[in-house]
Amino acid sequence: MNSKVTGGIKPKHQRLVLLLIALVALIGAGLLAAYALSNQASYFYVPADLAKAPPEQGRAIRLGGMVEKGSLKTRADGVTIDFIVGDGKARIPVRYTGITPDLFVEGSGVVAEGRMEGNTFVADNLLAKHDENYVPRQMGEMTAEQAKQVVAETQ
Amino acid sequence: MHGFANPARFLRLARWMMPLLLVSGLLLSMGAVLYGALIVPPDRLMGDTVRILFIHVPSAWLGMAGWSTIAIASLVELVWRHPLAAIAGRAAAVPGATFTAICLITGSIWARPTWGTWWVWDGRLTSFLVLLFLYFGYIALSGAAQRDMAGGGGGSRITAIFGLVGAINIPIINRSVVWWNSLHQPPSITAGKSAIDGTFLWPLLIAALGFSLVFGGVVLARMRTLLADIQAEARLRRKAMA
């Protein structure tokens, strides 16, 4: 290997400095790209987004938030459900016909795929969102602290 | 300066470290995974599917740790030209890719009953799939570099640059659930705090330790194999010259 020392700087240190500059530039570019993506890369809108900038009627979008406690109602046909998705800032009524995932319950997170029809979100598909809490069944209900975290997560 | 530049010294260390890491790692991970599969109580919402946690999460950590190993090895190779660094990076690629694949497969199986879908293109899932493809690219590139080495080419350096550039995906995976709305939940374990109950957390941490030891053992085993390959090739070449 060529170990000639040029101008008092060892080649090793020159390489280290060059590489560090390249790394800083790379990380900067990555962060800029991620920042620019921040809206496009989101998997769903929260109710506050839809309230602020109402989407086109009939355009396919995803809506995510918490299923409001006490809002879940089954219609007479037995397969159509109505519920309200909220994020603490806005509330959107949702209608869905079909089988719901196991984790779909009042007070937990949901992502609905569908479109706005009038003021109602008509969902073609429901995905249940799990929160970051893992609690054994014996402990029963969530603690107040965890419940607060769940709400904070969707905001 | 380079304590381990001479592979003989490294090989002496690896010879007894490798079986130690593999045996202790396999015992710990099997114990923790079995404990998780049979003894841990069901989750409040997910029920029995929570048992996948003890394979899925350690695999995810190791998949990311694998690329971090590649990135550090690449840096050491490029700056200090340490002869073992290139070999370490190459040795970490296949086990890293394996853990990444295990994480994606178990995650998909877990998603079906909990979320109601096998796959979604949200930030976390997509960036983790990209990690798997990066591993494939790295493995292909390092294979080509190895063939190139006989001709004295700079292929190994290109592999190292790819290893460094690919590392940008690691913070993106980590932050994907924070920056963007995603179906995947935000991190359960953040600096000093855990939203995972102790009943689940302890077997999870032991499984993660076990998986890490297995990873270390496999990397050492593969480094020994790669070194033996290089030695055998050099010997053949000397014989051909004589």
Side-chain angles (χ1 to χ4, degrees), chain B residues 211-228:
Chain B
F211 278 44
S212 309
L213 292 175
V214 170
F215 177 81
V218 172
V219 169
L220 284 186
R222 284 180 49 78
M223 285 179 76
R224 290 178 67 183
T225 314
L226 289 168
L227 280 170

Side-chain angles (χ1 to χ4, degrees), chain A residues 19-47:
Chain A
L19 219 63
L20 285 181
I21 292 170
L23 273 183
V24 167
L26 186 73
I27 290 167
L31 287 179
L32 271 178
Y35 178 75
L37 266 175
S38 62
N39 291 322
Q40 278 82 4
S42 279
Y43 190 65
F44 53 81
Y45 294 108
V46 294

Side-chain angles (χ1 to χ4, degrees), chain B residues 124-140:
Chain B
R124 171 58 65 86
L125 276 65
T126 309
S127 57
F128 218 81
L129 186 65
V130 167
L131 178 66
L132 184 65
F133 291 153
L134 284 175
Y135 271 119
F136 289 161
Y138 184 90
I139 290 165

Side-chain angles (χ1 to χ4, degrees), chain A residues 1 11-13 15-16 19-20 23 26-28 30-31 33-34 37-39 41-46 49 62 101-105 108 110-111 113 125-142 146 149 153, chain B residues 1-2 41-50 53 57 74-75 77-81 110 112-117 119-123 161 164-168 172 179-188 193 195-200:
Chain A
M1 198 195 299
K12 189 171 71 184
H13 293 151
R15 289 198 296 268
L16 182 62
L19 219 63
L20 285 181
L23 273 183
L26 186 73
I27 290 167
L31 287 179
L37 266 175
S38 62
N39 291 322
S42 279
Y43 190 65
F44 53 81
Y45 294 108
V46 294
D49 296 334
R62 296 193 195 90
D102 288 355
L103 250 64
F104 177 79
V105 285
S108 86
V110 71
V111 175
E113 299 176 325
N125 193 21
L126 285 189
L127 301 173
K129 195 163 154 34
H130 184 252
D131 58 50
E132 71 274 34
N133 298 301
Y134 294 83
V135 185
R137 196 164 273 167
Q138 284 93 318
M139 290 178 69
E141 285 302 300
M142 280 186 288
Q146 283 165 341
Q149 277 175 358
E153 170 206 324
Chain B
M1 183 172 88
H2 289 332
D43 178 77
R44 164 180 56 95
L45 292 173
M46 285 183 287
D48 282 328
T49 55
V50 73
L53 177 83
V57 175
S74 303
L75 185 76
E77 185 193 346
L78 287 173
V79 176
W80 288 275
R81 302 275 154 88
W110 202 1
R112 185 65 192 87
T114 45
W115 297 343
T117 179
W119 182 264
V120 291
W121 293 100
D122 82 345
I161 291 171
L164 264 185
V165 172
I168 191 71
I172 292 177
W179 284 341
W180 308 310
N181 293 332
S182 57
L183 189 58
H184 194 284
Q185 67 277 12
S188 294
K193 268 201 316 176
I196 302 180
D197 188 80
T199 333
F200 300 135

